[in-house]
Amino acid sequence: MTSIKHHPKTETLAAYAAGALDEARAVVIATHLDLCDACRAAARDFEALGGVCLEAAEPAPMKEGALERFWLRAGGARAERAPASTRAANDFDLGLARPLSAYLKGGLDAVQWRRIGPGMEQCVLDAQGYRKGVLRLLKIAPGVRLPKHSHGGEELTLILRGAYEDEIGEFRRGDLADLDDEDTHSPCAIGEEPCVCLIAASAPLRFKGLAGKIVQPFIGL
Ligand SMILES: [Zn+2]
């Protein structure tokens, strides 16, 4: 049993199962799935559905050598990305969960944090996304609140350690916030330990107040 309360939207899971997410968002979703039985089952259903659709589709001729090129690329990707895997469990370190471990050498405790503001540190991870720096870890000290902001596009946030609360509710380890450009929030880290999140965002944040707008160029969010 897990105590996860916040999950990806159905359409995000479907896009993940169809392989339609960019690398950054796929890492966030895959890390959530490593912990969340319900979403893992849903993603499997979507994959099965996709298989049925493929079987029903009219066959189309492939270019000569397409299959060889596919295996060449797939083989290369497999060699690069083979992560040292630890099966996630309730008392696990989410930083060692399978998908994320490929991006974190030495786990969450070895992360080189860069201070971006009072009580805020970040580490940009090397993943291909819509734009550079799209996959990042953010660490917020207890009691620190991010200025009120919306999102220029979609944002997936997975809680790895600690917790935060915002206008939507409380988010704890394993919870995933699947936000779009309509959502405005001002998350505040709660509890004793810093809140560490894994974030994939398709566009920079849009801060609401003057203070946030002044701070933005400095913190680079
Ligand atoms: Zn879930």
Side-chain angles (χ1 to χ4, degrees):
M1 276 288 290
T2 59
S3 55
I4 298 176
K5 292 196 177 70
H6 302 278
H7 305 268
K9 290 172 187 159
T10 306
E11 56 265 39
T12 307
L13 269 184
Y16 171 81
L21 294 185
D22 58 90
E23 182 182 340
R25 284 184 296 165
V27 172
V28 179
I29 295 296
T31 306
H32 175 78
L33 295 194
D34 215 35
L35 180 65
C36 181
D37 297 338
C39 287
R40 200 163 55 244
R44 252 199 314 262
D45 287 348
F46 278 124
E47 279 165 4
L49 198 64
V52 171
C53 292
L54 272 181
E55 278 166 24
E58 284 287 315
M62 287 170 81
K63 279 190 189 150
E64 205 177 322
L67 194 59
E68 285 77 8
R69 281 197 299 279
F70 167 78
W71 283 118
L72 217 59
R73 285 172 58 187
R78 222 179 286 148
E80 264 174 40
R81 290 278 178 225
S85 165
T86 314
R87 182 72 188 94
N90 262 353
D91 56 348
F92 67 150
D93 180 347
L94 202 41
L96 289 176
R98 235 178 321 221
L100 185 55
S101 64
Y103 297 85
L104 295 178
K105 311 279 178 275
L108 272 182
D109 291 319
V111 168
Q112 301 274 318
W113 294 103
R114 190 172 70 86
R115 190 176 178 276
I116 55 171
M120 281 185 275
E121 294 170 272
Q122 78 161 342
C123 172
V124 175
L125 301 179
D126 183 21
Q128 297 294 316
Y130 291 135
R131 66 190 177 97
K132 199 173 182 304
V134 76
L135 184 66
R136 60 163 58 91
L137 292 163
L138 186 65
K139 182 156 86 171
I140 315 166
V144 169
R145 181 178 290 279
L146 259 59
K148 201 174 183 67
H149 63 270
S150 62
H151 310 90
E154 295 156 357
E155 184 183 274
L156 296 176
T157 301
L158 177 68
I159 315 306
L160 302 179
R161 282 182 182 170
Y164 77 69
E165 66 177 352
D166 66 5
E167 290 79 347
I168 299 164
E170 274 187 22
F171 290 77
R172 300 186 175 279
R173 194 164 63 164
D175 279 331
L176 188 142
D178 187 348
L179 304 177
D180 59 34
D181 51 7
E182 313 240 303
D183 298 302
T184 300
H185 70 159
S186 177
C188 179
I190 54 173
E192 302 291 305
E193 61 171 335
C195 180
V196 178
C197 315
L198 176 69
I199 303 171
S202 60
L205 302 186
R206 287 182 182 152
F207 288 100
K208 295 293 169 194
L210 182 60
K213 284 179 181 149
I214 291 171
V215 168
Q216 182 160 32
F218 297 98
I219 63 177
L221 286 175

